[in-house]
C-alpha cells in the first residue's frame, strides 16, 4: 500500500484509449466500498464517458477543469446533505478510494474541485454541472475525477518528500 501511495500522482494527460468496462466497474465498486458517516452512504456517482458531455464538463471552471477534456472517463461525485452533516467527508473519502484504485490498475487520475468555484461570474461550477447532468436540486457536487491511461510521467514520492514537520507525537509541538 505505501508503494502505491508513493507512486500515485495527479495525472492530467491521458492516452486516447477507452477504459475497459471491467475497470470502470471496479472503480465504481471501490467507491461503494468507502466508509461513510454512520453508514449513511450519502454519495452517488455519475460515470461520464460521452465525449460531448466530457468536453462540456471541462469548461466547468474558469481554470483548473480544462484537463478533463482528454479524459475517457469522468466520475462526478455527488452528495446528499440531507443524509448526514458529514457528507463532504463521505464524498472526499470515496473520491480518494477511486483515485487509489485507479492507480492500482495502471490508470491515472486527477481531482477537479467544484465547491466554491465559479465557471463564469454569474454561474457557479456546481450549478453548471447540475444543469448539464440533470442532478437534482437538493444534491451537491463534491468533485469531478478525470481518469484514463496516463500520457505523462510523474516522479514518485520518496521519503525525502514527506512533510515530517506536520507530524506530532502525544502533544502538538512547535
Ligand atoms: C481537494 C482537491 C482539489 C483539487 N483540485 C484540483 C483542480 O481543480 N484541478 C487540478 O488540476 N488539480 C486539482 N487537484 C490536484 C492537486 O493539485 C494535486 O493533488 C496536488 O498538486 C498534489 O499533487 P499529486 O496529486 O501529484 O500528489 C486537487 C486535489 C485535491 C485533493
Amino acid at each position: 500500500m505505501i508503494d502505491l501511495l508513493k507512486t500515485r500522482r495527479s495525472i492530467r494527460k491521458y492516452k486516447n484509449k477507452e477504459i475497459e468496462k471491467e475497470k470502470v466497474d471496479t472503480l465504481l465498486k471501490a467507491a461503494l466500498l468507502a466508509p461513510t458517516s454512520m453508514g449513511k452512504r450519502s454519495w452517488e456517482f455519475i460515470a461520464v464517458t460521452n465525449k460531448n458531455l466530457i468536453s462540456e464538463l471541462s469548461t466547468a471552471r474558469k481554470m483548473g477543469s480544462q484537463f478533463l477534456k482528454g479524459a475517457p472517463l469522468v466520475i462526478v461525485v455527488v452528495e446528499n446533505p440531507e443524509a448526514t452533516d458529514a457528507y463532504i467527508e463521505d464524498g472526499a473519502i470515496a473520491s480518494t478510494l477511486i483515485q487509489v484504485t485507479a492507480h492500482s490498475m495502471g490508470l491515472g487520475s486527477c481531482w477537479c474541485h467544484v465547491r466554491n468555484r465559479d465557471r463564469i461570474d454569474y454561474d457557479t461550477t456546481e450549478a453548471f454541472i447540475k444543469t448539464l447532468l440533470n442532478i437534482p436540486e437538493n444534491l451537491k457536487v463534491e468533485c469531478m475525477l478525470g481518469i484514463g491511461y496516463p500520457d505523462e510521467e510523474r516522479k514518485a514520492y520518496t521519503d525525502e518528500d514527506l512533510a515530517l514537520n506536520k507530524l506530532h507525537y502525544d502533544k502538538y509541538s512547535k
Side-chain angles (χ1 to χ4, degrees):
M1 186 68 179
I2 196 71
D3 286 338
L4 205 58
L5 296 178
K6 277 182 173 171
T7 52
R8 182 220 55 83
R9 298 299 313 269
S10 288
I11 298 295
R12 299 179 179 84
K13 291 192 180 123
Y14 311 99
K15 293 206 164 99
N16 186 14
K17 179 180 172 190
E18 250 181 60
I19 302 176
E20 299 83 344
K21 185 182 177 311
E22 307 80 66
K23 288 194 176 178
V24 177
D25 290 345
T26 301
L27 292 173
L28 296 171
K29 265 188 209 164
L32 296 176
L33 286 165
T36 56
S37 171
M38 294 182 291
K40 294 283 187 186
R41 297 174 169 168
S42 62
W43 27 237
E44 297 186 51
F45 307 92
I46 307 173
V48 184
T49 53
N50 177 292
K51 283 193 174 18
N52 293 332
L53 286 176
I54 288 177
S55 179
E56 286 287 304
L57 288 174
S58 76
T59 70
R61 283 191 37 201
K62 277 185 224 160
M63 278 171 57
S65 59
Q66 286 65 25
F67 74 90
L68 293 174
K69 193 167 166 57
L73 171 68
V74 174
I75 298 181
V76 180
V77 180
V78 175
E79 302 157 336
N80 180 1
E82 290 153 22
T84 164
D85 60 357
Y87 65 91
I88 295 175
E89 288 81 356
D90 284 357
I93 291 166
S95 303
T96 307
L97 291 192
I98 293 172
Q99 289 201 273
V100 176
T101 304
H103 178 50
S104 78
M105 297 190 296
L107 296 164
S109 74
C110 186
W111 182 306
C112 176
H113 194 56
V114 172
R115 194 160 40 83
N116 296 335
R117 296 292 183 267
D118 290 329
R119 177 167 187 260
I120 37 181
D121 290 339
Y122 53 86
D123 198 4
T124 64
T125 299
E126 182 174 54
F128 172 76
I129 297 167
K130 284 172 76 166
T131 303
L132 184 69
L133 303 182
N134 296 337
I135 297 170
E137 190 47 47
N138 61 318
L139 301 183
K140 302 272 187 196
V141 181
E142 170 72 27
C143 65
M144 302 186 280
L145 301 171
I147 304 171
Y149 284 97
D151 200 19
E152 65 173 324
E153 277 196 26
R154 302 280 319 271
K155 207 169 139 283
Y157 290 114
T158 66
D159 282 353
E160 282 67 51
D161 297 312
L162 301 181
L164 298 176
N165 60 324
K166 303 282 185 188
L167 302 179
H168 308 272
Y169 299 91
D170 287 335
K171 290 195 179 185
Y172 190 93
S173 53
K174 287 206 172 162

